[in-house]
Amino acid sequence: DAMAANATNEGGTNGTIRLLTNVSGLWLVQQCRSAWRKEGKEYDYGDLVKLAEAAPSLRSFVDPNEPEFLVPGDYPALVRGYCAKTGQPVPEDEGSVIRTILESLAMEYRTVFERLVKLTGKSLDVIHILGGGSRNRLLNQLTANATGRLVVAGPAEATVLGNALVQLIAIGELNDLQEARRLVATSDHLKHFEPQETSLWHEAYLRYREL
């Protein structure tokens, strides 16, 4: 079942093991930004989030795991082409393209989340988003909507913080990994996103799965 779900194991500190499945993630947004820069349109990630927030929701989706989305290219054109060939409304402007990508990622996160729940046999009520992606407030909210779970975003500098915590354990400033995790959990930098419009999102998720 794990092999069929494309799940693997990743070693961590103190002998921990993480069950892992990779998703393309914000690579698609990076490629769109690069394509628009070549056209003389310079957007930072905050600009793109604002444009996406103003765009219509739940109109079209792409499968971020399609081979065409795994290599560099003109991603705005690829997104439009995918929507056209699957009979969906074609996103024309920048905001609609980014909205399509972010909502598609949220739907794929739900797909992977449900697979991991099935594999582990555990009931999981919270999704943690770490690293740079935790700064994308729109994607965080869309993920909460799509999965129907509370999303806790942060810390953004997760790798640096994790390194520091392991060193603090090593020199005896922290007792163990559990204490380090509690320290992070009480941080003021964590943001919480509650699910919204879950029935509407569930209907859209069924459309996404048909792709």
Side-chain angles (χ1 to χ4, degrees), residues 6-167:
N6 196 28
T8 187
N9 295 303
E10 182 176 76
T13 186
N14 290 35
T16 55
I17 299 292
R18 177 167 64 177
L19 186 64
L20 176 69
T21 297
N22 286 313
V23 180
S24 293
L26 290 169
W27 155 262
L28 286 80
V29 175
Q30 293 170 357
Q31 286 296 298
C32 285
R33 186 169 175 242
S34 177
W36 288 322
R37 184 185 297 119
K38 292 176 182 177
E39 298 174 359
K41 301 174 182 178
E42 188 65 49
Y43 297 112
D44 62 28
Y45 291 111
D47 295 331
L48 294 177
V49 166
K50 289 178 182 177
L51 291 172
E53 286 176 332
S57 64
L58 301 177
R59 294 179 73 238
S60 305
F61 305 105
V62 299
D63 179 354
N65 296 318
E66 280 289 309
E68 62 194 288
F69 296 121
L70 301 179
V71 295
D74 183 349
Y75 273 48
L78 289 175
V79 168
R80 294 183 181 111
Y82 184 96
C83 292
K85 73 182 180 183
T86 52
Q88 303 178 89
V90 176
E92 297 297 340
D93 57 37
E94 288 88 341
S96 296
V97 168
I98 297 299
R99 182 95 190 193
T100 296
I101 291 172
L102 296 182
E103 290 184 342
S104 299
L105 289 177
M107 294 298 192
E108 185 60 21
Y109 293 166
R110 173 172 172 174
T111 300
V112 171
F113 179 83
E114 291 181 347
R115 286 177 188 159
L116 295 178
V117 167
K118 183 177 180 181
L119 282 174
T120 61
K122 295 181 178 180
S123 177
L124 305 175
D125 299 321
V126 180
I127 293 175
H128 291 270
I129 298 183
L130 311 176
S134 67
R135 294 192 179 103
N136 192 317
R137 64 181 186 276
L138 177 57
L139 180 55
N140 296 336
Q141 185 61 62
L142 298 179
T143 301
N145 297 351
T147 62
R149 299 300 197 282
L150 171 69
V151 166
V152 178
E157 299 298 338
T159 302
V160 174
L161 183 58
N163 186 304
L165 290 170
V166 168
Q167 294 188 55

Side-chain angles (χ1 to χ4, degrees), residues 184-204:
V184 175
T186 58
S187 169
D188 293 335
H189 299 291
L190 304 184
K191 305 297 182 184
H192 295 72
F193 297 84
E194 297 279 355
Q196 300 174 2
E197 300 180 318
T198 51
S199 59
L200 187 65
W201 274 81
H202 180 69
E203 293 174 6

